[in-house]
Amino acid sequence: MKPTTSRFHRFFAGPSHSLLPLVLMGGVIGVAAGLVMFGFLSLLNLTLGWLNGANLEDFESLSPWWRLGLPVLGSLLLILLYRLTPVSGQTVGLAYVLERLQFGRGQLPAANTAFQFMAALIALGTGHSVGREGPAVHMGAGIGSLLGQYTSRPPSQLRLLIGCGTAAAISAAFNTPLAGVLFAMEVVLMEYSLLGFAPIIAAAISASAFSGALIGPHSVLQPVRLSLAGYGDIPGLLLTGLWVGLVAVLFHYLVRLFLRFPLKSRAARLLLAGVITGGLALFVPQILGSGYDTINATLSHQLPWGLLLLILGAKLIATAAAIGLGVPGGQIAPMLMLGVCAGGVAGTLVPGTSEPGLYALLGMAAMMGAVLHAPLAALATVLELSLSAEAMFPAMTVVLTANLICQHGFRQPSLLLTLLKERGRLLQTHPLRTALAQRYLSELARFDFSGFDTEQDAHHLDAVLEQKLPWVVVRQGEYRYLIEGEAFAKVGLIWREQKQEQPLHQALAPLLSDRLRLIELTEDASLLTALKTLQQEETAGFLLPVGRRGLGLVTRRRLVTMLTTDDPIQ
């Protein structure tokens, strides 16, 4: 087995510029994510089936005491899980994935991924108003990151593999590969790249095929064929977009209200979330869980607008409480339910001849697009659910209007950025700074240099001279300096010919100017951080640890050349 593992590692750790290994890794990630999601969904469905019978989301059939007590019980189990888990493994969710992408070099710890698996099972199985998408993304992204770390991929490719895991998890969980691909690139990676499409698509289709082979068709939302009756309904579409945009703004405000709720104890916050959800469920049981049964009923126009309005109000409060108070679940499924209810209300009340179910479908996409700033992923969701390209025109109209109201009219950021800001993490959103923050010095590191210590290693001079490497890193006291190999060799040869009349460090002193001093880093740094350092200090470059390869060297010249010219970097 050992030689096989070694060959596997060598193959996937091959040239970082090669596309084929990345595509194959995307396929491997897809299969692994499909297997994990199969286990997760099987356990979740087993729990929901024990509670609700064949209709897994039928929390409405539970007795009032169960509806009140189930979320509270879930909060108590979550409190116990948190107390049994080390603090370092407790941060989870889609926002955490984004945080690790920009501040953690794309390295997602296995412990957090395992904690997400268990915490999501508890939260979803006990009716908290959260979804499975966020946990699915974290688990898929964790699989991609761990495989990338094992195969020693550079940070930029760890990002890509996390995107593969994201697309694979969404595709496996909901059988929507296109939405998974666009969600990964638009929400998680926040960029579209030609290099990224192939591996991410490979991950999405392999996950969908593998999970489908294991559990068969498993779409949680029933496909519906809906289209616009006529262009005379455009005013109704604009009104629907305006209404859903205002609901999205209200949702943002409620989430921030609960994020800043004056309770410091995690246990107290989780318990309060359970009490709020259980109390609301006494009167509106439809708010429990992800709400896919309510979404399907609304899309088929089975619920009156008055009930939809009541569900909308209660679900807004329950979901904002769950997210703001820290229940470890996803935000997308409750968000879709909010959009469906808002769209269903609009479809009944606005003028027009189109079916109310169409407005419900459009409201779902508009809510997702407005809250997450992900219009393309939202449109892909409509396309895969409606099975009709005719739904694209009304979808684009409503999604665009809702986004303009929420993002530009009320200047609301993406919900994920709001969650990160509350944790003191400000993601770069300027395109240039974002690109620099997502690339790391280790990707530019070179290893063709010798090390030499003027105090202790004078007898190694001959060995350094024989290597004839382009650079020599000279340690003088507590500092290191970057010397060109030819200049070092010239001084060394003269010093040796003069029969060591003076100490070697004195002979090298003319070469050791402050502008040639290197900055020693204890960990990898982004190009944005490196450029800020170069602005503040006169330095020749950086020394930093690069995985199993040891210390790497990034010269100032190499960094500036890469950023400013098309010439090969030196």
Side-chain angles (χ1 to χ4, degrees):
M1 291 297 293
K2 186 173 181 180
T4 302
T5 302
S6 178
R7 286 195 296 270
F8 173 87
H9 182 276
R10 286 198 302 270
F11 176 77
F12 283 118
S16 61
H17 60 273
S18 177
L19 180 61
L20 179 60
L22 290 174
V23 172
L24 294 177
M25 289 176 77
V28 172
I29 291 169
V31 172
L35 185 60
V36 171
M37 291 311 302
F38 167 71
F40 178 77
L41 294 176
S42 297
L43 290 173
L44 177 60
N45 291 342
L46 186 65
T47 303
L48 294 177
W50 177 74
L51 283 170
N52 304 322
N55 187 356
L56 302 178
E57 293 281 341
D58 187 21
F59 289 98
E60 296 89 335
S61 64
L62 297 176
S63 67
W65 288 111
W66 265 107
R67 298 202 298 265
L68 172 64
L70 193 59
V72 176
L73 174 62
S75 293
L76 293 174
L77 292 175
L78 287 172
I79 291 168
L80 177 62
L81 180 63
Y82 271 105
R83 292 188 174 177
L84 295 176
T85 304
V87 175
S88 60
Q90 294 178 0
T91 311
V92 295
L94 181 52
Y96 176 67
V97 172
L98 296 182
E99 179 182 345
R100 296 302 298 174
L101 276 172
Q102 187 157 127
F103 301 106
R105 304 187 301 283
Q107 297 179 359
L108 287 165
N112 298 70
T113 305
F115 177 82
Q116 175 69 96
F117 187 98
M118 295 303 302
L121 277 179
I122 294 173
L124 290 165
T126 55
H128 275 285
S129 185
V130 292
R132 63 184 71 172
E133 302 81 8
V137 168
H138 186 162
M139 288 184 277
I143 291 169
S145 176
L146 290 171
L147 179 61
Q149 292 176 62
Y150 174 72
T151 54
S152 305
R153 307 311 296 186
S156 63
Q157 291 188 9
L158 278 184
R159 287 177 45 78
L160 178 57
L161 296 180
I162 285 175
C164 291
T166 297
I170 292 179
S171 180
F174 308 102
N175 199 24
T176 53
L178 177 59
V181 170
L182 292 179
F183 186 88
M185 305 197 80
E186 188 173 31
V187 177
V188 177
L189 300 183
M190 298 185 186
E191 65 178 1
Y192 290 92
S193 67
L194 294 177
L195 176 65
F197 267 113
I200 291 176
I201 290 174
I205 60 177
S206 60
S208 182
F210 187 70
S211 61
L214 288 176
I215 57 180
H218 56 283
S219 178
V220 293
L221 297 178
Q222 299 172 0
V224 290
R225 289 190 174 274
L226 299 166
S227 60
L228 189 66
Y231 290 108
D233 289 348
I234 290 178
L237 297 178
L238 296 175
L239 288 174
T240 301
L242 172 63
W243 159 240
V244 175
L246 293 174
V247 172
V249 171
L250 177 59
F251 181 62
H252 269 101
Y253 281 124
L254 287 174
V255 170
R256 280 197 292 271
L257 175 66
F258 282 106
L259 282 169
R260 299 165 186 173
F261 200 82
L263 272 180
K264 300 299 183 183
S265 167
R266 186 196 300 272
R269 292 175 71 86
L270 288 172
L271 195 57
L272 177 60
V275 170
I276 290 174
T277 303
L280 290 170
L282 280 175
F283 307 99
V284 192
Q286 291 87 350
I287 69 167
L288 290 175
S290 299
Y292 291 119
D293 58 337
T294 303
I295 293 176
N296 288 323
T298 307
L299 291 175
S300 57
H301 193 39
Q302 297 177 15
L303 301 179
W305 72 267
L307 177 58
L308 289 177
L309 193 60
L310 180 63
I311 295 173
L312 175 63
K315 190 70 172 178
L316 274 170
I317 298 173
T319 304
I323 295 172
L325 296 174
V327 176
Q331 302 92 28
I332 298 177
M335 199 182 307
L336 297 180
M337 183 174 171
L338 291 172
V340 159
C341 291
V345 171
T348 306
L349 301 180
V350 301
T353 57
S354 297
E355 297 178 66
L358 172 66
Y359 289 90
L361 178 66
L362 303 182
M364 178 175 66
M367 189 72 180
M368 176 180 171
V371 174
L372 294 180
H373 294 187
L376 289 181
L379 291 173
T381 302
V382 171
L383 181 62
E384 290 190 293
L385 291 177
S386 68
L387 303 179
S388 172
E390 296 177 359
M392 285 296 96
F393 172 78
M396 286 189 285
T397 303
V398 176
V399 168
L400 174 62
T401 306
N403 268 268
L404 289 175
I405 294 297
C406 185
Q407 187 173 350
H408 298 285
F410 287 85
R411 299 187 180 279
Q412 296 300 307
S414 164
L415 177 64
L416 299 175
L417 297 183
T418 298
L419 296 176
L420 286 171
K421 184 177 179 180
E422 289 299 318
R423 296 215 299 259
R425 292 293 199 179
L426 297 176
L427 292 188
Q428 295 291 340
T429 55
H430 186 282
L432 180 57
R433 288 195 295 269
T434 299
L436 292 173
Q438 293 170 354
R439 300 296 184 267
Y440 286 81
L441 285 174
S442 59
E443 299 173 50
L444 302 179
R446 57 192 303 171
F447 304 90
D448 53 347
F449 65 92
S450 302
F452 188 80
D453 192 318
T454 60
E455 300 294 332
Q456 300 176 358
D457 293 335
H459 60 284
H460 293 309
L461 177 62
D462 290 340
V464 173
L465 294 177
E466 287 175 4
Q467 290 179 335
K468 297 182 180 180
L469 294 177
W471 300 100
V472 179
V473 175
V474 178
R475 177 182 288 278
Q476 172 83 338
E478 59 181 285
Y479 298 113
R480 294 195 192 192
Y481 300 84
L482 182 64
I483 310 298
E484 290 189 4
E486 292 182 0
F488 180 87
K490 183 177 179 180
V491 172
L493 291 172
I494 293 175
W495 178 77
R496 191 169 56 185
E497 290 172 0
Q498 292 177 348
K499 300 182 180 180
Q500 307 178 13
E501 294 179 358
Q502 60 178 334
L504 180 56
H505 67 88
Q506 292 183 9
L508 290 172
L511 300 178
L512 308 182
S513 63
D514 288 343
R515 66 182 183 84
L516 296 178
R517 187 179 298 170
L518 292 169
I519 294 177
E520 298 182 59
L521 303 176
T522 57
E523 60 180 9
D524 203 355
S526 69
L527 298 189
L528 182 62
T529 300
L531 286 178
K532 289 179 179 178
T533 302
L534 292 182
Q535 285 182 321
Q536 298 168 359
E537 299 186 39
E538 184 70 23
T539 178
F542 303 88
L543 277 176
L544 65 151
V546 185
R548 299 182 179 93
R549 304 186 68 180
L551 279 180
L553 169 67
V554 180
T555 65
R556 185 189 194 102
R557 184 193 312 170
R558 186 179 178 87
L559 178 57
V560 172
T561 300
M562 187 275 295
L563 293 173
T564 59
T565 73
D566 293 328
D567 297 332
I569 55 178
Q570 304 177 21

